[in-house]
Amino acid sequence: LARRRDCSYHFFFLMIRRPPRSTLFPYTTLFRSTSSIQLIFAPLQSHLILLDPDAPPAAGRTDKREEGEPICISEWNIKRNSPNPLTLDFCRLKTGDGEFSEVIPVIAVQQILQEDSPYTGSITLRFEFEVDAVPSEIAVAVEIADTCTFKINGNDVFYDGMPYYVDRSFMPVDLTPHIQKGSNTPDIGMDFKPLERPKFGLSQPFANVSGTEVESVYLIGSFGVRGSLSSSIQRPQSVRYVPEFVITAETDVSGGDLIKDGYLFYTGDIEMTASVELNKISDRQLVLRMPGLQACNARVKINDIDAGVICWKPYEIDITDYVHDGKNTVTLVLTNTLRNLLGPHHRPLVEKEQNWGWNEYSGRWCELTKKGFPNWYNKREEDTDAWTDDYYFVRFGLYKPTEIKILK
C-alpha cells in the first residue's frame, strides 16, 4: 500500500448498486495504522475498500439522517403478465374399460402402473375442479397433449395448436366453451407404457428413455384461485393450504400478499403500481425500501423510468433521480420461480433448496428421516414424514408496507 508523507491514508468505500450507478464515497482519513471504521453489511452485501495516497484530505463522511416519518405504501394495483394457473395433481385412474379408482395423487399413478401393478394399455385420468365465477378464458396445459384425448364435462375437446405454456411440452387445450359454475370434470386419455429405467439414479433427470411419464396438469387462464389456510402446523418459509381450491374472479387490488390474492400457483411477473404524493423534496435524497419483499427479484420503475433491480438485502434503492414534486408513480415488477407451480407441494417437513426425482415428489420415502412408506397413496388419512395432502407454497409478494425514506 502506498502512504503519504504525513503517514496518512485517505479511505474510500465503493457502494455497488447497478452499473453505472456505483458511487465512491470519501469516508475518512486514516492515520498510521491505528484507526478503525464501522460498516454495516446486509446479507450478501459487499463494500469495496480503497486506499488512495494521492487523494486530497477528506473531512469524513457525513451520513444523512431520515427526515420525518417514511411514506408508506400498503395498497397496490396489480397486473399479471402470464396466465394464472391452478395445478391439478390429484385424479381418479381408470385402466382400459374398468372403473375409476378413488382419488389418488397423480405421482402415485406412475408408481402403481410402473411397479405395484405393472400395466400396459389405455388409461384415463379424471380430474375435478370447482368454479365460482366462470372465467373468460381457461385451458388445460398437458405434456404431449397432441397424443392424448380430452373430454370436459362429457364434451370432446382437442388440442388445436395453442401457444405453449412455460415449457414447449406444456400444450394448452381450450376448455372455455364448456366450463360451468360448480363442479367440472376433465378426462384425459392416453396409452401407457412403463418407462424404461435409467442406467443409474443421477441420470434420471437427463435420460431420454422410452415409455410414458404421467404428470400433473395445469389449468391456465384469466381467473383467481381461492383457498383456505390449513389449521395444521405451518412451517418456516412456507404457507400451508388445505386441498380445496376454487376458481374465482380476479382482483386488481392487493395489500401485498399475492398468495392470498389468488396467485397461489402463479409463476412469472406481476406488476404492482401505486401513486405517491411527494412535496418539498429538492436537495433531498429519497430511498425506496421493501422490508417485506418475498420474490426472486423486483424491478423498480419510477414514473415509468427504470430505476434498477433489487435481488438481495438490503431491499432498497435510491430513487432520487426519478422523482419530482407532486404525484409520482411507483411500479414494482415482482418475479418468482416455478416452485409454486411445479412443487413439490406435499412435503411436510422442510422446504428443500433442490428437488429432483420421484422420491422428492411422492410419499414413498423421506430422505431426512430415512423412512419408507409402502402403499402410501392408500394411507393418506394422517400425514407422514414424506407426505401430506395439504399444499405448501412459498410466499410471494410484499409482506410489510413499502417505504419511501426522505434523507437530509
Side-chain angles (χ1 to χ4, degrees):
L1 295 175
R3 186 170 60 179
R4 294 175 65 94
R5 290 180 181 178
D6 60 1
C7 298
S8 66
Y9 295 100
H10 298 292
F11 172 73
F12 297 78
F13 76 88
L14 183 66
M15 179 70 75
I16 300 176
R17 302 177 194 166
R18 184 174 70 94
R21 291 186 53 78
S22 299
T23 304
L24 188 65
F25 294 98
Y27 196 92
T28 188
T29 299
L30 299 182
F31 290 95
R32 302 186 188 279
S33 60
T34 60
S35 298
S36 64
I37 60 170
Q38 291 184 345
L39 294 174
I40 298 174
F41 288 82
L44 301 179
Q45 185 181 16
S46 300
H47 296 296
L48 177 62
I49 299 172
L50 305 176
L51 295 175
D52 187 352
D54 299 319
R61 179 191 176 201
T62 302
D63 289 319
K64 293 184 177 181
R65 295 185 177 181
E66 192 166 343
E67 186 177 54
E69 294 295 322
I71 298 170
C72 293
I73 307 172
S74 56
E75 186 171 293
W76 303 84
N77 293 317
I78 59 175
K79 184 184 76 170
R80 56 177 171 78
N81 294 329
S82 298
N84 195 26
L86 169 57
T87 299
L88 302 180
D89 59 356
F90 287 88
C91 70
R92 299 177 187 272
L93 169 65
K94 182 174 76 171
T95 56
D97 296 326
E99 300 293 325
F100 280 102
S101 70
E102 295 297 316
V103 174
I104 56 175
V106 172
I107 191 70
V109 172
Q110 192 78 39
Q111 179 181 337
I112 292 169
L113 301 181
Q114 182 92 18
E115 302 175 15
D116 298 352
S117 301
Y119 174 83
T120 300
S122 64
I123 63 171
T124 304
L125 306 180
R126 171 164 290 177
F127 300 87
E128 298 177 14
F129 62 92
E130 291 290 322
V131 172
D132 181 61
V134 176
S136 59
E137 53 184 3
I138 183 172
V140 59
V142 181
E143 289 196 49
I144 56 171
D146 53 347
T147 66
C148 300
T149 62
F150 299 89
K151 286 182 179 290
I152 175 68
N153 299 326
N155 299 284
D156 290 321
V157 289
F158 305 92
Y159 172 67
D160 61 0
M162 289 180 65
Y164 69 85
Y165 171 68
V166 176
D167 184 274
R168 292 183 183 276
S169 64
F170 288 5
M171 303 173 178
V173 177
D174 187 22
L175 306 179
T176 307
H178 307 293
I179 298 299
Q180 60 194 18
K181 189 172 182 179
S183 179
N184 290 261
T185 306
D187 290 344
I188 300 176
M190 65 188 75
D191 289 326
F192 182 86
K193 178 184 177 182
L195 278 173
E196 177 187 351
R197 287 195 173 279
K199 294 182 179 179
F200 57 96
L202 287 177
S203 71
Q204 182 178 328
F206 316 104
N208 184 12
V209 296
S210 63
T212 308
E213 190 165 8
V214 181
E215 301 279 4
S216 302
V217 302
Y218 310 93
L219 297 175
I220 60 172
S222 300
F223 52 77
V225 179
R226 185 177 70 238
S228 299
L229 286 172
S230 173
S231 60
S232 300
I233 297 175
Q234 299 284 336
R235 76 181 186 199
Q237 301 179 332
S238 309
V239 285
R240 182 173 181 167
Y241 275 70
V242 297
E244 298 171 0
F245 301 105
V246 179
I247 288 179
T248 65
E250 281 190 275
T251 179
D252 58 3
V253 177
S254 172
D257 186 347
L258 296 174
I259 298 293
K260 181 180 178 181
D261 293 331
Y263 299 97
L264 293 94
F265 297 91
Y266 186 81
T267 184
D269 299 337
I270 289 187
E271 295 186 19
M272 308 180 71
T273 303
S275 295
V276 180
E277 193 76 21
L278 299 173
N279 297 303
K280 299 179 180 179
I281 59 172
S282 60
D283 301 323
R284 303 292 192 271
Q285 179 185 4
L286 282 82
V287 175
L288 183 75
R289 181 171 177 266
M290 291 175 278
L293 176 65
Q294 294 285 342
C296 289
N297 59 61
R299 178 169 294 278
V300 179
K301 298 180 181 179
I302 307 296
N303 298 318
D304 295 325
I305 301 174
D306 188 355
V309 179
I310 295 177
C311 301
W312 45 74
K313 293 181 178 180
Y315 298 138
E316 59 183 40
I317 190 169
D318 191 324
I319 59 171
T320 307
D321 295 342
Y322 309 103
V323 295
H324 51 72
D325 280 329
K327 183 178 178 181
N328 292 261
T329 301
V330 177
T331 300
L332 307 179
V333 184
L334 270 57
T335 304
N336 69 351
T337 69
L338 292 165
R339 160 61 179 82
N340 285 344
L341 176 72
L342 302 180
H345 295 110
H346 305 284
R347 306 294 283 184
L349 295 186
V350 297
E351 181 67 30
K352 297 183 64 176
E353 294 184 354
Q354 78 285 326
N355 297 279
W356 60 274
W358 290 345
N359 286 343
E360 295 290 352
Y361 288 80
S362 80
R364 67 193 300 178
W365 174 257
C366 177
E367 183 64 29
L368 288 175
T369 60
K370 306 299 183 183
K371 292 181 180 179
F373 301 92
N375 199 28
W376 63 273
Y377 46 85
N378 287 325
K379 299 177 180 179
R380 306 192 325 275
E381 295 81 5
E382 297 183 2
D383 294 351
T384 68
D385 292 344
W387 183 269
T388 175
D389 277 4
D390 285 353
Y391 287 75
Y392 284 98
F393 302 95
V394 295
R395 293 181 176 88
F396 180 39
L398 301 169
Y399 288 81
K400 293 180 181 178
T402 295
E403 302 172 347
I404 297 178
K405 297 189 297 183
I406 302 177
L407 307 178
K408 182 179 179 181

